Amino acid sequence: MKYKIWIATLAATCLLSGCTEAEPPQASPNQTTTQSTTEHTENKETAENTDFPGTYTVPEGWVKSEYYSSPDKVFYVEAENDTKDKPDTVPDNISINVGKNKYSQDEHEAFREAILKQLLMQVKGTKAQVNGAGTYTAQGYPLYIFTITEEESGIITEQYYVVGDHQFCLIHTTNFTQSETIQEAAKQMADSFVWD
């Protein structure tokens, strides 16, 4: 019995954590991920190609993690926790990617319900709690924040969805240490995000 609980916890951790070496999760039929590569310029992220439909600011003290980043998703860690020389260490991290969906910006509440349904399916059978909140970014875009707390491990995952017209920007945090600075950094990134 303990073995099954441990496997379920491990599976939930892998599903909910933003920092894995596995392939990115496949998008649902109504959601696709847009690939992009970004370049850091004076704490402002801008796309090197036209696939990334916006810009955002990286908070001071956070750096791109080359080890975890991919063409689909860019990962950031606090500078002192960069794992480039410590690949067995998984630090608190923030990832950012964009995707498309079937919902117009006016239908943001339906988008919220679809995300919540998907998250609840992912945590079904685990000891994880999902909470959600809605607000607007400093730029005036709808913003949905989902918090997944894993009771046994203490890992906190937050997903910030900046809603656009048939698109979204997902800023995903994986907080292993219950740090408050990661939440502040993710909120700053969400508030600074501007659709092109």
Side-chain angles (χ1 to χ4, degrees):
M1 181 66 169
K2 284 185 178 180
Y3 183 73
K4 287 183 182 178
I5 292 171
W6 185 81
I7 292 294
T9 302
L10 182 61
T13 301
C14 290
L15 279 173
L16 297 175
S17 68
C19 217
T20 65
E21 291 187 56
E23 292 294 317
Q26 295 298 313
S28 70
N30 298 327
Q31 176 180 321
T32 59
T33 301
T34 302
Q35 293 186 355
S36 67
T37 306
T38 56
E39 173 184 326
H40 185 70
T41 310
E42 295 180 21
N43 273 5
K44 190 69 143 181
E45 292 290 333
T46 56
E48 289 177 355
N49 61 39
T50 58
D51 289 342
F52 197 87
T55 58
Y56 56 94
T57 301
V58 176
E60 189 173 326
W62 289 80
V63 296
K64 180 179 178 181
S65 171
E66 297 295 338
Y67 184 78
Y68 290 110
S69 293
S70 71
D72 294 333
K73 190 179 290 189
V74 179
F75 282 86
Y76 297 93
V77 296
E78 288 184 280
E80 67 264 14
N81 295 326
D82 193 1
T83 60
K84 62 184 168 199
D85 298 325
K86 305 171 269 183
D88 294 334
T89 304
V90 181
D92 292 347
N93 61 81
I94 301 172
S95 65
I96 186 166
N97 65 295
V98 293
K100 297 186 181 292
N101 61 51
K102 70 177 187 175
Y103 304 100
S104 72
Q105 190 167 359
D106 292 338
E107 300 171 304
H108 63 86
E109 290 175 349
F111 175 69
R112 175 196 67 205
E113 292 303 316
I115 295 299
L116 181 58
K117 182 178 179 180
Q118 187 177 44
L119 290 173
L120 291 173
M121 286 182 359
Q122 288 177 346
V123 301
K124 187 177 181 180
T126 68
K127 290 188 176 185
Q129 181 178 339
V130 177
N131 292 311
T135 187
Y136 290 88
T137 69
Q139 310 303 319
Y141 302 117
L143 174 66
Y144 290 108
I145 305 166
F146 296 98
T147 304
I148 302 102
T149 305
E150 298 177 39
E151 293 177 19
E152 292 181 3
S153 68
I155 297 171
I156 301 169
T157 303
E158 286 189 313
Q159 297 181 356
Y160 295 73
Y161 285 89
V162 180
V163 181
D165 198 34
H166 299 282
Q167 59 190 349
F168 62 90
C169 173
L170 171 58
I171 300 165
H172 180 123
T173 70
T174 305
N175 188 344
F176 297 101
T177 64
Q178 292 77 43
S179 167
E180 292 181 17
T181 59
I182 193 171
Q183 294 171 326
E184 294 166 11
K187 181 74 167 99
Q188 288 176 24
M189 291 173 79
D191 274 336
S192 71
F193 185 83
V194 176
W195 292 105
D196 288 344

